[in-house]
Amino acid sequence: MAKQLIFNIFTLNSVSHIFHGMWRHPDSKALQHNDLDTWLELARLAERGCIDTIFIADLAGQQGVYRGSTDMLAERGINFPVSDPEMLLSAMIATTENLGFVYTRSMIQQPPFSFARAASTLDHLSKGRVGWNIVTSYLENAYLNVGHTELTDHDERYRRAQEYMEVVYKLWEGSWEDDAIIADREKGIFADPSKIHRIDHVGEHYSVQGPHLVEPSPQRTPVLFQAGASEAGRDFASRHAEGIFLMADSPADAAAFIDDVRARLVAAGRQPDDAKFIAGTSIIVGSTEEEAERKAAELDEYVDGESLLAQYSGVFGADLAALAPDMPLAELAQQTSAVRGILEMFIDRLPADSNPTVADLGKYFSSQYRIVGTPESIADTLQAWADAGVDGFNIIQMTTPGTYTEFIDHVVPVLQARGMMKREYAPGTLREKLFPGRAARLNDRHPTQGYRKTTMPV
Amino acid sequence: MAKQLIFNIFTLNSVSHIFHGMWRHPDSKALQHNDLDTWLELARLAERGCIDTIFIADLAGQQGVYRGSTDMLAERGINFPVSDPEMLLSAMIATTENLGFVYTRSMIQQPPFSFARAASTLDHLSKGRVGWNIVTSYLENAYLNVGHTELTDHDERYRRAQEYMEVVYKLWEGSWEDDAIIADREKGIFADPSKIHRIDHVGEHYSVQGPHLVEPSPQRTPVLFQAGASEAGRDFASRHAEGIFLMADSPADAAAFIDDVRARLVAAGRQPDDAKFIAGTSIIVGSTEEEAERKAAELDEYVDGESLLAQYSGVFGADLAALAPDMPLAELAQQTSAVRGILEMFIDRLPADSNPTVADLGKYFSSQYRIVGTPESIADTLQAWADAGVDGFNIIQMTTPGTYTEFIDHVVPVLQARGMMKREYAPGTLREKLFPGRAARLNDRHPTQGYRKTTMPV
């Protein structure tokens, strides 16, 4: 029997996400991203199609300088403006029953105490359907927006992230015991104070008294997602994440990454299947291969390649337009303070003996992450990725909601017929839906376990 | 013709709000505050009753020590646990068309950049129906939860608050010009970068680059509410607030406060009617006076007076149970680092020649803020408050939604018949609804005006 795969709608509360320029397409509703109806419609569509989650990316600042300024970001709507994803959630929760919601929150956006409280509230409101995509911002502007004077060093970011996780785990898992709430109207006793604990965290970066202001939600800790391509990122993901997002050029490429991270999971005391691996791809479907290719070619007329260079200038922390085309990428990797890991990943993928240069980046960017074909051939391709170890997909939009409508109307029935996708939602929380047979709360192999006993009473 | 008054549902995302102990009442749904249906039902009820806003209070930490510990807060559910109000909003926005939403956000919960972004997102999603109740936390635990080592001094809090306002005004009002967005699909131009500005704020407490990540929302700045009893609080409110919340013992008491703050409004270059004054009260309605009094007496059996002392121990930053009953309040006022202004207000209200003591606080707390009567006599009383200068009311719950259902079913029709309340919502944003004949955006007398021109391009 085929493995049932996870399918998420991957989006951004913005004019543009990944395939920049697509907002210009007449069918795109990206310009209406500040209209709540756009999101309610998307949530209902997703649930109709048995989609697992709406997975909302985010940026806490502008991408970087390209061609000497940030002008192009506004001019072409490159991940900018970008509204707050967290504010969308309760509306979509109210309009659905089973759909999950994974939202991105950077650790620099607010103190861990405030974030943990918001996430617990959402997990309550959704009856346990929330996931958190853990992000340590890599954009200098994001740091300058919240009082830092410069971008924090990459490895230092992960050390700080480790402490942030400790704090939220203490709040989510350790502050309230399971039987703290009594809610006895007759006796007038709401809770047993001896079972509610301050966390009294004092660390290098954070100092948090507690107790958590929200009683335990169905999942306590929301389902944890992360994307980490660098060494530090892979280590972090293998310790914490239950869903690991990756962008790969091929099933073989994905398999290499997955094998590496699964080994790290084991090294961290977890099981290889304690995390799901989710690959990003778009899908373009036609009733014949020719029709699909023709649709892809038509859509491509709207994709703006230079916007992608501008975006990656932010990712790499270097103005790609200002670099000499023959500058070796290895040299660029030495200079950047931002996402060195992603750059190293690019270098790994380009021909090893070619000493890849900046010019090769442009060539690389034009190989777009998407699957084009008939519903049957798309299912075949997805199966090839599944055979390589991928557990599911974040579906990137060409147009929204068009990409998702077509996927749901035409590809989902084929996947269901092949047993590659569920026909109805499993009961329970998002964690139980994503990990059939497991509990609503994280298992004992996860580091949250270490924070479940708190002895100091309030 | 009678003045049309503003009516808000005043609540907290918690087990208990103001009349502690009421969660024990069989009709109370306070125990279901983490269930989204509770809030959707409340929002629909409010809109059916032509209520202006749901006004959600908040606390960023636990109240203080009472009887030597914080145990009673959990045991009796005194403003604890308290979930995040901001997470409720988009669901209630989606289920209503005209209702406004005022939510409390303390400045210590997140950096101004992150808060401004969330609020702008909500103002977009609601098409301009959002207000912000500005709070500088007074609870020591709230500070200790976000990395501070102690409660910030009261006056210092207001100085920091002033800078926080400058930052959010720069983001909301100054970062994007009105005609920055072009959204020309043919030309592929989303925005004119010369009309989007970094704010480059560098101050004593905050350093924020910008630009704002969200394009201008219908109101730009959400409608600003504040409650400030102290000198510094009144000055702050008179400079910034468009809605000023007060708790008064009598119409005369309210009038004295309102006269004082209206004079401060004028001194700050604003008009006396640039702010609405909203008094807090509960309402208990019967078909006869006797029935209303009987209902009040029945409800009173659930009110827990000692919980109120515990709450005010947090407000005053002093364990009221540990103080000598004959300790003069003037002496207590010297000691407290928390809400000195509220304590001074208490002292003002107790008989001037009595040298009020801690024992008098208990007496004071038992005089509860509520109006008991028939729909007609309640309307008479509300009119007396209106004649004293009050513009509207935050209705405090005895039971929720019971207090609001009864008010809407029985009192609202009488108020409408007397012209004291609208029969249908005015069109436009919350600001236009609350200030008939005015614009969606703040007028030129408000300090936001000073931040509307930003010259440094991104």
Side-chain angles (χ1 to χ4, degrees):
Chain A
M1 195 180 118
K3 175 165 85 170
Q4 281 199 357
L5 300 169
I6 294 163
F7 290 94
N8 304 319
I9 285 177
F10 188 41
T11 187
L12 182 70
N13 191 357
S14 178
V15 176
S16 183
H17 188 216
I18 300 181
F19 290 115
H20 302 300
M22 289 308 304
W23 65 267
R24 300 173 296 171
H25 193 286
D27 291 346
S28 171
K29 285 200 173 182
L31 286 176
Q32 282 86 58
H33 73 97
N34 279 319
D35 188 332
L36 195 45
D37 286 339
T38 303
W39 295 95
L40 299 178
E41 182 189 338
L42 188 66
R44 289 189 201 106
L45 170 71
E47 195 158 82
R48 173 166 76 73
C50 272
I51 295 294
D52 288 275
T53 81
I54 295 183
F55 189 121
I56 317 181
D58 194 31
L59 294 95
Q62 279 194 313
Q63 305 278 359
V65 167
Y66 180 74
R67 283 209 220 157
S69 83
T70 54
D71 281 0
M72 193 182 284
L73 305 175
E75 191 175 295
R76 303 200 188 176
I78 302 167
N79 294 345
F80 178 84
V82 54
S83 299
D84 190 328
E86 196 178 46
M87 299 304 113
L88 301 170
L89 294 199
S90 73
M92 292 197 287
I93 287 166
T95 202
T96 55
E97 283 181 26
N98 284 290
L99 185 62
F101 299 95
V102 182
Y103 75 109
T104 302
R105 207 78 182 158
S106 163
M107 296 179 178
I108 68 169
Q109 287 176 276
Q110 78 245 81
F113 184 85
S114 305
F115 168 68
R117 183 180 178 219
S120 292
T121 302
L122 289 168
D123 201 50
H124 273 297
L125 297 177
S126 65
K127 298 183 165 52
R129 291 190 278 142
V130 174
W132 172 32
N133 181 35
I134 308 163
V135 167
T136 65
S137 291
Y138 60 80
L139 297 170
E140 183 172 47
N141 177 242
Y143 285 83
L144 299 180
N145 286 334
V146 292
H148 296 256
T149 51
E150 59 183 359
L151 178 64
T152 306
D153 166 75
H154 176 271
D155 291 339
E156 164 63 15
R157 283 208 301 278
Y158 275 103
R159 284 193 298 276
R160 184 181 296 203
Q162 176 62 32
E163 190 184 338
Y164 196 101
M165 299 308 292
E166 284 173 27
V167 173
V168 297
Y169 290 160
K170 287 177 180 178
L171 291 164
W172 285 329
E173 303 282 343
S175 185
W176 290 64
E177 297 184 31
D178 279 341
D179 54 352
I181 292 184
I182 295 163
D184 186 325
R185 285 179 147 137
E186 290 298 317
K187 291 185 179 153
I189 297 181
F190 174 71
D192 178 350
S194 74
K195 295 182 174 174
I196 302 170
H197 310 281
R198 286 185 178 158
I199 68 165
D200 287 320
H201 176 90
V202 179
E204 189 183 352
H205 302 98
Y206 302 104
S207 160
V208 183
Q209 184 177 60
H212 194 36
L213 289 182
V214 187
E215 62 265 45
S217 66
Q219 301 184 115
R220 282 191 180 252
T221 297
V223 182
L224 300 172
F225 287 79
Q226 210 242 351
S230 68
E231 281 293 311
R234 290 178 191 212
D235 269 342
F236 186 92
S238 64
R239 278 204 302 279
H240 298 282
E242 307 171 75
I244 297 174
F245 177 65
L246 60 113
M247 294 289 280
D249 292 338
S250 65
D253 185 25
F257 175 82
I258 292 168
D259 288 348
D260 175 77
V261 179
R262 286 208 200 277
R264 292 174 199 249
L265 279 159
V266 173
R270 301 172 71 196
Q271 288 181 182
D273 63 353
D274 279 349
K276 301 289 187 185
F277 290 84
I278 311 292
T281 185
S282 192
I283 294 204
I284 300 173
V285 56
S287 55
T288 63
E289 296 293 333
E290 294 69 30
E291 189 197 334
E293 291 293 345
R294 193 169 58 244
K295 281 170 71 173
E298 285 165 11
L299 290 166
D300 277 348
E301 292 185 19
Y302 291 90
V303 176
D304 176 13
E306 190 167 23
S307 289
L308 204 57
L309 289 180
Q311 177 192 332
Y312 273 92
S313 293
V315 173
F316 296 148
D319 185 340
L320 295 178
L323 299 175
D326 60 352
M327 178 183 184
L329 288 184
E331 191 175 317
L332 175 58
Q334 291 301 316
Q335 291 181 10
T336 179
S337 61
V339 183
R340 198 170 59 223
I342 291 184
L343 191 55
E344 285 165 357
M345 192 176 70
F346 272 103
I347 296 171
D348 285 348
R349 285 179 193 170
L350 292 163
D353 53 355
S354 71
N355 185 23
T357 64
V358 166
D360 293 313
L361 279 175
K363 191 164 46 184
Y364 183 82
F365 291 147
S366 67
S367 79
Q368 289 152 355
Y369 298 98
R370 66 187 190 192
I371 301 170
V372 180
T374 64
E376 291 72 19
S377 74
I378 289 170
D380 293 343
T381 305
L382 294 174
Q383 185 62 53
W385 285 80
D387 293 341
V390 165
D391 299 300
F393 299 90
N394 271 5
I395 303 176
I396 302 164
Q397 61 199 247
M398 295 292 289
T399 65
T400 179
T403 296
Y404 307 115
T405 308
E406 297 202 359
F407 176 74
I408 286 165
D409 287 344
H410 303 298
V411 183
V412 165
V414 174
L415 296 173
Q416 288 173 328
R418 294 188 184 187
M420 295 168 67
M421 193 172 170
K422 63 189 169 307
R423 290 181 183 276
E424 57 187 28
Y425 288 99
T429 62
L430 178 58
R431 183 168 287 118
E432 292 164 283
K433 287 175 164 70
L434 295 178
F435 292 91
R438 295 197 181 179
R441 294 179 180 175
L442 270 160
N443 63 47
D444 293 349
R445 296 179 295 277
H446 191 273
T448 44
Q449 172 65 10
Y451 302 101
R452 281 179 182 151
K453 312 275 177 279
T454 313
T455 51
M456 182 176 295
V458 173
Chain B
M1 197 180 118
K3 177 164 83 171
Q4 282 200 356
L5 300 170
I6 295 162
F7 289 93
N8 305 318
I9 285 178
F10 188 40
T11 188
L12 183 71
N13 191 357
S14 178
V15 175
S16 184
H17 188 217
I18 300 182
F19 290 115
H20 301 300
M22 290 306 305
W23 66 268
R24 300 173 298 170
H25 194 286
D27 292 346
S28 171
K29 286 201 171 178
L31 285 176
Q32 283 86 56
H33 73 96
N34 278 319
D35 188 333
L36 195 45
D37 287 338
T38 302
W39 295 95
L40 299 178
E41 182 190 337
L42 188 67
R44 289 187 200 106
L45 171 70
E47 195 157 83
R48 172 167 76 73
C50 271
I51 295 294
D52 288 276
T53 81
I54 294 184
F55 188 121
I56 316 180
D58 194 32
L59 294 94
Q62 278 194 311
Q63 305 280 357
V65 168
Y66 178 74
R67 284 208 220 156
S69 83
T70 54
D71 281 1
M72 192 182 284
L73 305 176
E75 191 175 296
R76 304 201 187 175
I78 302 168
N79 293 345
F80 178 84
V82 53
S83 299
D84 190 328
E86 196 179 46
M87 299 305 112
L88 302 170
L89 294 198
S90 73
M92 293 198 286
I93 287 166
T95 202
T96 54
E97 283 182 25
N98 283 291
L99 185 63
F101 299 94
V102 181
Y103 76 110
T104 301
R105 206 80 183 156
S106 162
M107 295 177 178
I108 68 170
Q109 288 176 274
Q110 77 244 80
F113 184 85
S114 304
F115 167 69
R117 183 181 176 219
S120 292
T121 302
L122 289 168
D123 201 52
H124 273 296
L125 296 177
S126 65
K127 299 185 167 48
R129 291 189 278 143
V130 174
W132 172 32
N133 181 35
I134 308 162
V135 167
T136 66
S137 290
Y138 60 82
L139 297 170
E140 183 172 46
N141 177 242
Y143 285 83
L144 298 180
N145 286 334
V146 293
H148 296 255
T149 52
E150 59 182 1
L151 177 64
T152 306
D153 166 74
H154 176 272
D155 292 340
E156 164 63 15
R157 284 208 300 278
Y158 275 103
R159 284 193 298 276
R160 186 181 294 202
Q162 175 62 34
E163 190 184 337
Y164 196 101
M165 298 308 293
E166 283 174 29
V167 173
V168 296
Y169 290 160
K170 286 177 180 177
L171 291 164
W172 285 329
E173 302 283 343
S175 185
W176 289 65
E177 296 182 33
D178 280 341
D179 54 352
I181 292 183
I182 295 164
D184 186 325
R185 285 177 146 141
E186 290 297 316
K187 291 184 179 154
I189 296 181
F190 174 72
D192 178 349
S194 73
K195 295 182 174 174
I196 303 170
H197 312 281
R198 286 185 178 158
I199 67 166
D200 286 319
H201 176 90
V202 180
E204 189 184 350
H205 302 98
Y206 302 104
S207 159
V208 183
Q209 183 176 59
H212 195 35
L213 290 182
V214 187
E215 62 264 45
S217 67
Q219 301 184 117
R220 281 190 180 254
T221 297
V223 182
L224 300 172
F225 287 77
Q226 211 244 350
S230 68
E231 282 291 313
R234 291 177 191 212
D235 268 342
F236 185 91
S238 64
R239 280 205 300 279
H240 298 282
E242 307 170 76
I244 297 174
F245 177 64
L246 60 114
M247 294 290 280
D249 291 338
S250 65
D253 186 26
F257 176 83
I258 292 168
D259 287 350
D260 175 77
V261 180
R262 286 208 201 277
R264 291 173 200 249
L265 279 160
V266 173
R270 301 172 70 195
Q271 289 182 182
D273 63 353
D274 278 350
K276 301 290 187 186
F277 289 84
I278 312 292
T281 186
S282 192
I283 295 207
I284 299 174
V285 56
S287 55
T288 64
E289 296 293 333
E290 294 68 31
E291 189 197 332
E293 292 293 345
R294 193 167 60 242
K295 282 171 70 172
E298 286 166 10
L299 290 166
D300 277 347
E301 292 184 20
Y302 292 91
V303 176
D304 176 13
E306 190 167 22
S307 288
L308 203 57
L309 290 179
Q311 177 192 331
Y312 272 92
S313 292
V315 173
F316 297 148
D319 185 340
L320 294 179
L323 299 176
D326 60 351
M327 179 182 184
L329 289 183
E331 193 176 313
L332 175 59
Q334 293 301 317
Q335 293 180 10
T336 178
S337 61
V339 183
R340 201 170 55 223
I342 290 182
L343 191 54
E344 285 165 355
M345 193 176 69
F346 274 101
I347 296 171
D348 286 348
R349 285 179 194 170
L350 292 164
D353 52 357
S354 69
N355 186 21
T357 66
V358 165
D360 293 314
L361 278 175
K363 192 164 47 181
Y364 183 83
F365 290 148
S366 68
S367 78
Q368 290 154 353
Y369 298 98
R370 65 188 191 191
I371 302 170
V372 181
T374 63
E376 291 73 19
S377 74
I378 289 170
D380 293 343
T381 305
L382 294 173
Q383 185 62 53
W385 286 80
D387 293 341
V390 164
D391 299 301
F393 298 90
N394 271 6
I395 303 176
I396 302 165
Q397 60 198 247
M398 296 292 290
T399 64
T400 179
T403 296
Y404 307 115
T405 307
E406 298 202 359
F407 176 74
I408 286 165
D409 287 343
H410 303 299
V411 184
V412 165
V414 174
L415 296 172
Q416 289 173 327
R418 294 189 184 186
M420 294 168 67
M421 193 174 169
K422 62 189 170 308
R423 290 180 183 276
E424 58 187 25
Y425 289 99
T429 63
L430 178 57
R431 184 169 286 117
E432 292 165 285
K433 288 176 164 69
L434 296 178
F435 293 90
R438 294 196 181 179
R441 294 180 180 174
L442 270 160
N443 62 50
D444 292 350
R445 296 178 294 277
H446 191 273
T448 44
Q449 172 64 11
Y451 302 102
R452 284 182 179 148
K453 311 275 175 284
T454 313
T455 50
M456 183 178 293
V458 172

